[in-house]
Amino acid sequence: MTENVFSGLTILDHTRYLLGGYATQVFADLGADVIKIEEISRGDLCRSDDPKINGVSHYFSALNRNKKSLSLNLKSKAGREAYFRLLERADVVIENFRPGVMERLGIDYSHEKEIRPDIIHCSLTGFGQDDPRSLMAFHDINFQALSGYLSLNGGKTSPIHLVDLSTAMVAVQSIMAALLQRNGTGKGAFCDIRMFDSFVWWNSILDARYQFSGSRLTADTLDFPVLAYNVYETADSGKISVGMLEDKFWDTFLSLNGLEELKPFKLSHPGEAREAFDTMEQLFKSRTTQEWKKWLEDKDICAMWVMDKTDAVNYILEQDTGLMEYCDFPCTGETLQTRIPQLISSIPVSLKHAAPAPKLGEHNAAILKELGYSDEEILNMSETGACGTIEAMGPGPEPLEEESLAAEPLDPPGVSGRRTGLTNL
């Protein structure tokens, strides 16, 4: 079997919340050594997000399996020295600070290159390093509004953060491209990843439609909903999704239900064929959800009942594909985890032996020892607040707040979650 090249990569992850955690989860699951560089007093802010099990946040658990945690005070001389030693063996640095923060800490790309010339630095900001808008406060929903997307989905919030996810995917692609380029040239790179740009890219088909439609695009001019591609309510307030765009599916459905007169209205919008919509709505309300499920069992017509999360999770687990598993983690017990979807024959990915998301500073002693520090030096670093507590060697004192990174708001605009550093730096 071909050696897993990802197992030889070290990624230093300074990110918080979904934006960076989603990106580095890919590398951690592929086998890279992903080390979260966290503040010694509070760490990744999503550690505190409810709901929790035994103090572990669902948010942190979902994004940080197979990673390590090193808590350092990067404002202290000893903390920076340890970080620079770690940087010597690193391949990638990823962060989502506001522009200028890494420079003020003395660990920005220009300093990194002096220590590791071929380092790849991935920076995630709202609008890029040189755009003053990156110093402004934006959440995911604000980027959606600015792109025009929010005007097309009825102005509704989304259960997931679309801009963060698009940016995380662009970050993974960019880091992969930079690693491939480095493999051929030996040179590192700076990846300037922009949240707004990433989501505008996701809107590319909508923007093309806007231009091809005479520079006008509103919710009522989109392809959907139409009669054959819509969601209909059942007799017991359940829902059935239909996507019968092809004639063979649409015609079969109508024939089976004695509604052949609706064939010409397949792609009609509600405002164009109100009576046809009324007929379809009456049809679906004539049966309960369970009756529709039974009716659909032997039909191949692009229709599916709308599952709630319990039904959906059970369905995925029943397929036994490994996409979703309950992993036995020490702190949270049987913990639901979702595998990354990459299926590469030469790099097997599985949740069977996944490590749980790390405690804050859980790997302080192990990583510092690997960097050449003695037990005495490690304890001294913990006692003086250069790093967090050392569990394996006994707890140290609480780090001083004024000496930790937490003393300064470092969050960039656009980090998902309830708390974003909204103070300009």
Side-chain angles (χ1 to χ4, degrees):
M1 180 179 292
T2 304
E3 181 182 355
N4 181 359
V5 296
F6 286 94
S7 64
L9 293 177
T10 297
I11 298 176
L12 307 185
D13 181 357
H14 292 267
T15 65
R16 299 169 176 175
Y17 278 117
L18 178 62
L19 188 60
Y22 196 78
T24 56
Q25 187 65 75
V26 174
F27 292 97
D29 281 1
L30 287 173
D33 189 17
V34 177
I35 303 173
K36 288 185 65 65
I37 309 299
E38 300 191 75
E39 303 164 46
I40 59 179
S41 61
R42 60 179 178 175
D44 190 328
L45 298 181
C46 71
R47 286 182 177 274
S48 62
D49 274 25
D50 292 325
K52 303 187 187 80
I53 295 178
N54 294 330
V56 178
S57 168
H58 74 286
Y59 206 132
F60 193 78
S61 175
L63 295 174
N64 291 289
R65 66 175 173 270
N66 296 327
K67 300 179 186 179
K68 298 175 182 177
S69 173
L70 173 63
S71 56
L72 288 176
N73 176 3
L74 294 176
K75 290 183 177 179
S76 71
K77 181 179 179 181
R80 280 196 302 276
E81 170 59 29
Y83 180 73
F84 289 146
R85 286 198 198 182
L86 185 59
L87 189 62
E88 290 177 2
R89 60 182 67 184
D91 297 280
V92 178
V93 173
I94 180 170
E95 46 87 10
N96 62 339
F97 296 138
R98 296 174 191 255
V101 170
M102 295 288 278
E103 182 179 3
R104 288 200 294 277
L105 291 171
I107 56 173
D108 60 317
Y109 183 53
S110 63
H111 287 85
E112 291 168 352
K113 289 192 297 182
E114 294 176 2
I115 297 169
R116 180 71 189 251
D118 63 348
I119 195 72
I120 293 167
H121 186 115
C122 181
S123 177
L124 313 173
T125 60
F127 299 91
Q129 292 296 302
D130 301 321
D131 193 316
R133 293 176 297 172
S134 290
L135 298 176
M136 298 172 62
F138 280 83
H139 278 292
D140 195 287
I141 195 170
N142 307 128
F143 291 110
Q144 292 185 36
L146 194 59
S147 71
Y149 171 83
L150 208 58
S151 71
L152 300 175
N153 80 332
K156 298 176 182 177
T157 58
S158 170
I160 57 176
H161 300 286
L162 301 177
V163 180
D164 283 0
L165 293 175
S166 66
T167 306
M169 290 182 176
V170 171
V172 172
Q173 294 164 356
S174 300
I175 292 171
M176 292 286 196
L179 287 169
L180 181 61
Q181 181 76 356
R182 188 181 75 172
N183 189 50
T185 65
K187 297 180 180 180
F190 185 90
C191 304
D192 186 6
I193 309 303
R194 308 166 186 200
M195 298 178 70
F196 183 65
D197 295 24
S198 298
F199 193 60
V200 169
W201 180 43
W202 270 24
N203 277 260
S204 59
I205 295 178
L206 292 174
D207 294 333
R209 185 182 183 89
Y210 160 80
Q211 193 262 319
F212 277 53
S213 300
S215 299
R216 180 179 178 273
L217 189 64
T218 57
D220 60 346
T221 61
L222 295 175
D223 279 339
F224 311 115
V226 292
L227 193 64
Y229 197 97
N230 200 5
V231 178
Y232 293 98
E233 190 172 295
T234 64
D236 56 347
S237 299
K239 289 183 171 59
I240 304 292
S241 67
V242 298
M244 298 175 279
L245 294 178
E246 292 81 5
D247 286 341
K248 61 180 179 179
F249 301 135
W250 178 239
D251 293 350
T252 298
F253 173 79
L254 294 181
S255 296
L256 290 172
N257 287 283
L259 294 175
E260 287 87 348
E261 70 272 16
L262 296 185
K263 287 184 180 181
F265 303 105
K266 180 178 71 172
L267 300 181
S268 297
H269 291 83
E272 299 168 335
R274 188 61 261 173
E275 289 185 7
F277 273 84
D278 289 342
T279 301
M280 281 286 280
E281 290 167 2
Q282 291 169 12
L283 170 63
F284 279 96
K285 285 186 177 180
S286 69
R287 299 185 179 113
T288 65
T289 305
Q290 190 61 38
E291 288 171 337
W292 275 113
K293 287 169 61 177
K294 185 171 181 57
W295 188 86
L296 289 168
E297 281 180 356
D298 60 351
K299 312 293 190 307
D300 183 22
I301 54 174
C302 293
M304 175 55 62
W305 57 285
V306 178
M307 299 184 185
D308 62 20
K309 260 302 173 184
T310 299
D311 291 327
V313 169
N314 289 336
Y315 170 76
I316 295 168
L317 290 171
E318 287 167 3
Q319 305 310 304
D320 197 26
T321 61
L323 178 62
M324 210 178 256
E325 298 278 356
Y326 278 99
C327 300
D328 188 10
F329 290 158
C331 289
T332 53
E334 292 294 306
T335 306
L336 188 64
Q337 295 281 290
T338 304
R339 175 178 52 75
I340 61 172
Q342 286 81 0
L343 293 175
I344 306 168
S345 61
S346 58
I347 313 174
V349 175
S350 172
L351 291 170
K352 294 296 184 184
H353 303 292
K359 299 176 184 176
L360 178 59
E362 179 179 341
H363 301 92
N364 286 350
I367 293 173
L368 291 172
K369 282 184 178 180
E370 288 177 3
L371 296 177
Y373 288 93
S374 67
D375 289 352
E376 183 179 358
E377 289 173 320
I378 294 171
L379 282 173
N380 182 63
M381 289 178 66
S382 178
E383 291 169 354
T384 58
C387 73
T389 56
I390 309 298
E391 287 189 14
M393 303 170 67
E398 283 296 315
L400 297 176
E401 178 71 15
E402 62 267 25
E403 290 186 355
S404 74
L405 280 174
E408 182 178 6
L410 300 180
D411 302 305
V415 178
S416 68
R418 293 188 296 277
R419 291 174 299 281
T420 308
L422 303 182
T423 304
N424 288 344
L425 300 174

